[in-house]
Amino acid sequence: MTDIAAAPESLLAAPDQASQREITREITELHAAYRTREGAGETLHATMHDFPPYRSSILRHPTKNPKLVDPETIELFSPAFGQRDVAKIESDLTLQHAGEPLGERITVRGRLLDSWGRPLANQLVEIWQANSAGRYIHQRDQHPAPLDPNFTGAGRTVTDDAGEYLFTTIKPGPYPWKNHVNAWRPAHIHFSVFGTSFTQRLVTQMYFPGDPLFALDPIYQSIHRQTDRDNLVSAYDHDLTVPEFSMGYRFDIVVDGPDATWTEGEEEH
Amino acid sequence: MGAPRKTHAPSAGQTVGPFFAFGLAYPKMHEVVFPHSAGAIVLGGTVFDGAGAPIPDAIVEIWGADADGSVARARGARRRDDHSFTGFGRAMTDDEGHYEFWTREPGPSGSGAAPFFAAVVFARGLPDKLHTRIYLPSDAAVLDADPLLASLDADERATLVATRTPDGGLHHDIRLQGEKETVFLAF
Ligand SMILES: [Fe+2]
């Protein structure tokens, strides 16, 4: 047991500092092993909790299988957020300061759906991201890229009656991290959503089409199936592109409902 | 009636990463009820990794029924008005891995059911969320009757039941890995 905690920033660098070649080899071997296991009839969680190429997961993943339980009443409800929880301006990350942030202005629009494709209205959507240079406002981000005095990088909104959300922001830059030598995260926006049942709680990341860093990134590759990884990549949508203003990306999010979250003829619960 | 076949693949979860605080923090997020109001208690503990080291960049969220077992349904649960019970709280661990909520103790959601807080954990280094429960330290008969607790051995069960602090609060550590690894749930 440790009495005095290590300084959090000291934990950010993996001690072994493997090469990218080594990390990529580990990813490839693990994915092949998962395919074999699934081929033999095992069902693996979409995101592997035990995924050593993501070095800081080594001491932070459970080693036992989760217990399969029937959700109790409270777990079949979720916090009752609503339109009055956020101001309209909070969905526009380019309007939070006196000046305009630098970078490529984008609009991100999508729907929040459940496993049966039903749109989820009145749902809180929270996002956060790096600026266009790949720098987070967080004090422990040591990446020597410029901060943008006109960009914080956090926004939130509530889905409308069609389950739709819309953000205006700046395309985030890729950024280095200390998982291994020359480790870079593909550009991404962090998303947090709830669903109608607490069992559906989801934190994920939205990516941009065609990023050359996908195959190299152990966080993205902790999702072992290609189809699941593809679902986290937004689609460029020219109809969402606003003339003379912003590039448009579409990103739908599906929360995972166990069957117990299905309720017939009820609009929301 | 059973649910029909699912038609949409769920979006996979991803780690909350290291730099979530500025995106997810909001005023009084850990105050499910107003501190020191009637029935308010502190629920707190430490989140540990597999080496027994505290995790300074984790998030714990709780979601629970009110003292009478009712579930808060009034919209606007993110704005703290200092008197409404919203049932939901979010806490980020500090540099010592400690999290803390002000909340009320949930009542049973069904007859004879053991009351608990539903909880979810996120952290840097944790590739996806983890669900768990924080049960109140009720008497043994109530805990024995709970279907989940009844299915666990004594050591596992101990990881899900909070302990009473001398001042009437609740203490509950969460261990992501290791000998006393918390029991996590799939639905
Ligand atoms: Fe990030």
Side-chain angles (χ1 to χ4, degrees):
Chain A
M1 294 291 280
T2 317
D3 290 319
I4 298 170
E9 50 270 43
S10 72
L11 303 172
L12 293 176
D16 69 325
Q17 289 298 301
S19 65
Q20 179 69 58
R21 188 180 303 275
E22 168 64 14
I23 293 291
T24 303
R25 188 182 61 77
E26 289 178 30
I27 291 170
T28 307
E29 287 177 5
L30 285 167
H31 284 188
Y34 301 148
R35 270 194 300 276
T36 304
R37 284 166 66 182
E38 289 213 306
E42 202 178 338
T43 303
L44 299 173
H45 190 62
T47 306
M48 297 304 290
H49 281 108
D50 179 6
F51 197 68
Y54 179 19
R55 291 292 194 254
S56 50
S57 76
I58 291 173
L59 285 171
R60 293 184 171 193
H61 72 270
T63 55
K64 295 174 183 141
N65 286 329
K67 303 279 176 198
L68 189 63
V69 290
D70 288 327
E72 298 280 353
T73 306
I74 186 68
E75 290 158 332
L76 291 173
F77 288 91
S78 68
F81 300 113
Q83 303 295 339
R84 79 181 185 96
D85 277 315
V86 293
K88 232 181 169 57
I89 199 171
E90 292 181 84
S91 65
D92 191 333
L93 287 72
T94 69
L95 294 182
Q96 296 173 350
H97 299 272
E100 288 259 10
L102 293 171
E104 181 183 330
R105 196 187 291 112
I106 59 172
T107 45
V108 182
R109 180 177 209 126
R111 290 195 302 163
L112 182 63
L113 305 168
D114 72 7
S115 298
W116 296 273
R118 298 177 296 185
L120 304 181
N122 282 311
Q123 291 287 320
L124 179 66
V125 182
E126 296 164 285
I127 65 167
W128 67 101
Q129 63 168 93
N131 69 19
S132 60
R135 178 80 186 265
Y136 280 93
I137 197 119
H138 198 285
Q139 58 176 358
R140 284 178 174 136
D141 184 359
Q142 298 300 310
H143 176 33
L147 282 168
D148 184 339
N150 291 314
F151 192 72
T152 301
R156 57 200 67 82
T157 191
V158 170
T159 57
D160 65 14
D161 289 346
E164 287 232 351
Y165 71 85
L166 172 69
F167 289 103
T168 302
T169 183
I170 293 293
K171 188 175 183 186
Y175 60 83
W177 58 313
K178 296 184 167 63
N179 186 71
H180 55 278
V181 175
N182 208 10
W184 289 78
R185 294 294 332 277
H188 60 275
I189 299 177
H190 296 265
F191 271 75
S192 166
V193 297
F194 283 80
T196 56
S197 146
F198 201 60
T199 59
Q200 296 170 327
R201 184 80 178 88
L202 174 70
V203 168
T204 188
Q205 301 180 23
M206 182 202 98
Y207 299 88
F208 292 86
D211 197 313
L213 294 168
F214 285 154
L216 308 180
D217 177 34
I219 289 183
Y220 185 59
Q221 299 293 336
S222 66
I223 302 167
H224 58 98
R225 289 182 217 109
Q226 184 70 50
T227 51
D228 290 331
R229 289 197 297 275
D230 291 345
N231 286 340
L232 295 189
V233 182
S234 57
Y236 174 71
D237 185 341
H238 202 62
D239 291 332
L240 278 182
T241 290
V242 182
E244 327 293 327
F245 186 75
S246 64
M247 304 292 284
Y249 290 90
R250 182 163 285 281
F251 181 58
D252 290 342
I253 303 169
V254 181
V255 293
D256 190 10
D259 283 350
T261 60
W262 169 267
T263 44
E264 249 170 312
E266 208 184 322
E267 275 185 18
E268 54 176 6
H269 61 176
Chain B
M1 253 212 41
R5 236 182 105 87
K6 294 173 186 173
T7 52
H8 286 57
S11 305
Q14 290 262 262
T15 183
V16 74
F19 305 131
F20 51 75
F22 78 103
L24 289 174
Y26 61 96
K28 304 183 182 184
M29 60 182 177
H30 72 296
E31 295 180 11
V32 185
V33 296
F34 193 58
H36 307 289
S37 59
I41 56 148
V42 171
L43 160 65
T46 302
V47 183
F48 292 103
D49 74 10
I55 297 182
D57 37 22
I59 302 173
V60 179
E61 291 179 344
I62 57 168
W63 168 235
D66 205 346
D68 63 359
S70 65
V71 179
R73 301 316 304 141
R75 294 220 170 272
R78 192 170 169 275
R79 289 265 164 94
R80 302 301 197 197
D81 63 9
D82 294 345
H83 60 84
S84 298
F85 177 82
T86 65
F88 176 74
R90 175 181 287 166
M92 297 172 183
T93 55
D94 63 16
D95 283 356
E96 310 305 318
H98 188 76
Y99 74 91
E100 192 172 290
F101 295 99
W102 276 99
T103 187
R104 277 202 282 270
E105 295 188 6
S109 61
S111 59
F116 65 85
F117 300 93
V120 62
V121 184
F122 303 98
R124 178 183 69 84
L126 180 61
D128 195 8
K129 67 170 179 179
L130 292 171
H131 283 281
T132 184
R133 291 176 181 172
I134 304 172
Y135 283 87
L136 301 183
S138 319
D139 58 72
V142 173
L143 296 177
D144 286 345
D146 180 86
L148 170 61
L149 294 180
S151 74
L152 302 177
D153 66 38
D155 288 343
E156 290 173 324
R157 187 197 276 209
T159 72
L160 294 185
V161 183
T163 52
R164 186 69 62 187
T165 59
D167 59 1
L170 291 171
H171 179 88
H172 188 72
D173 291 337
I174 296 171
R175 290 181 168 79
L176 299 192
Q177 191 187 86
E179 205 191 330
K180 293 183 196 164
E181 186 173 301
T182 297
V183 169
F184 297 104
L185 308 177
F187 298 98

